Amino acid sequence: MIRMYSQIIFSILLLGLVISCQNNTEKKKVEPVSTEQLAKEITENMPAQTAGKVHPGKAVYTKYCLTCHQADGSGVPGMHPPLGPGSWTGKDPKELVAIMMKGLSGTIEVNGEVYKGFMPSHAQLTDEEIADVLTYIRISFGNSFDPVDAALVKKVRSGK
Ligand code: HEC
């Protein structure tokens, strides 16, 4: 009986030894990465707003848009359209500023999905805040479009 137990215990120990040896050899295969290389990879793989500096439009987005369009811009199916690639975010900045000024309602289609929602006007925001938030959505959520200038917001606001 005791012999049987000791055999079992010995087998378990042996198994443990084999597994830990395998782990060791796996660990050895990992190539050391230099700090510069790591920093470069992080910068290249992260969206602009998280690569060291936070875009000022993120705060505006968090305060005024996030509840409907969600933190990752994915929206809410059937209710609030997404803002990522294929959405209206890449449209002519003048149209986007107009949406900020007047809001948006009625039937629209985004990425093949139909929305009949209501987005309120955000004309109470300053020219800079609107430029910042539009720039932010244009470089976030997988988008990569040109920034929007506060001068353009001013122009559209005054109807010129
Ligand atoms: C109360 C919810 C709500 C808020 C807050 C809101 N939106 Fe919207 N947004 C909507 C809805 C709903 C639509 C679609 C309207 C329709 O169906 O006609 C829309 C449409 C859009 C569109 C065009 C369609 C698309 O998805 O590309 C953009 C761009 C947009 N919103 C950006 C913003 C930005 C930027 C903010 C913050 C400044 C914001 N929205 C705040 C609900 C909201």
Side-chain angles (χ1 to χ4, degrees), residues 67-139:
T67 41
C68 294
H69 292 286
Q70 306 301 299
D72 61 355
S74 59
V76 178
M79 275 182 83
H80 307 306
L83 300 175
S87 74
W88 293 19
T89 304
K91 283 197 174 201
D92 183 343
K94 272 189 211 146
E95 281 187 47
L96 296 177
V97 176
I99 293 175
M100 292 298 114
M101 293 299 153
K102 295 183 242 156
L104 193 65
S105 58
T107 306
I108 66 159
E109 202 182 306
V110 181
N111 287 349
E113 288 263 347
V114 173
Y115 296 87
K116 286 180 206 157
F118 169 81
M119 174 172 155
S121 157
H122 286 77
Q124 80 275 18
L125 302 184
T126 65
D127 294 347
E128 281 72 26
E129 284 172 324
I130 290 176
D132 282 349
V133 78
L134 289 178
T135 299
Y136 173 74
I137 64 170
R138 282 164 71 88
I139 58 165

Side-chain angles (χ1 to χ4, degrees), residues 1-140:
M1 198 59 175
I2 292 176
R3 207 166 147 217
M4 204 180 93
Y5 276 134
S6 61
Q7 265 180 350
I8 292 172
I9 290 170
F10 180 72
S11 316
I12 292 171
L13 286 177
L14 199 68
L15 197 71
L17 197 70
V18 170
I19 291 172
S20 64
C21 281
Q22 277 177 341
N23 276 350
N24 276 349
T25 48
E26 270 172 24
K27 271 181 201 143
K28 271 183 204 144
K29 277 186 219 151
V30 177
E31 297 273 313
V33 181
S34 73
T35 321
E36 289 86 5
Q37 202 181 332
L38 204 63
K40 193 168 165 264
E41 274 174 27
I42 291 170
T43 320
E44 279 171 4
N45 294 323
M46 278 196 176
Q49 72 277 11
T50 52
K53 52 182 184 332
V54 175
H55 191 276
K58 187 174 185 179
V60 184
Y61 184 84
T62 304
K63 197 167 171 193
Y64 298 100
C65 325
L66 185 146
T67 41
C68 294
H69 292 286
Q70 306 301 299
D72 61 355
S74 59
V76 178
M79 275 182 83
H80 307 306
L83 300 175
S87 74
W88 293 19
T89 304
K91 283 197 174 201
D92 183 343
K94 272 189 211 146
E95 281 187 47
L96 296 177
V97 176
I99 293 175
M100 292 298 114
M101 293 299 153
K102 295 183 242 156
L104 193 65
S105 58
T107 306
I108 66 159
E109 202 182 306
V110 181
N111 287 349
E113 288 263 347
V114 173
Y115 296 87
K116 286 180 206 157
F118 169 81
M119 174 172 155
S121 157
H122 286 77
Q124 80 275 18
L125 302 184
T126 65
D127 294 347
E128 281 72 26
E129 284 172 324
I130 290 176
D132 282 349
V133 78
L134 289 178
T135 299
Y136 173 74
I137 64 170
R138 282 164 71 88
I139 58 165
S140 304

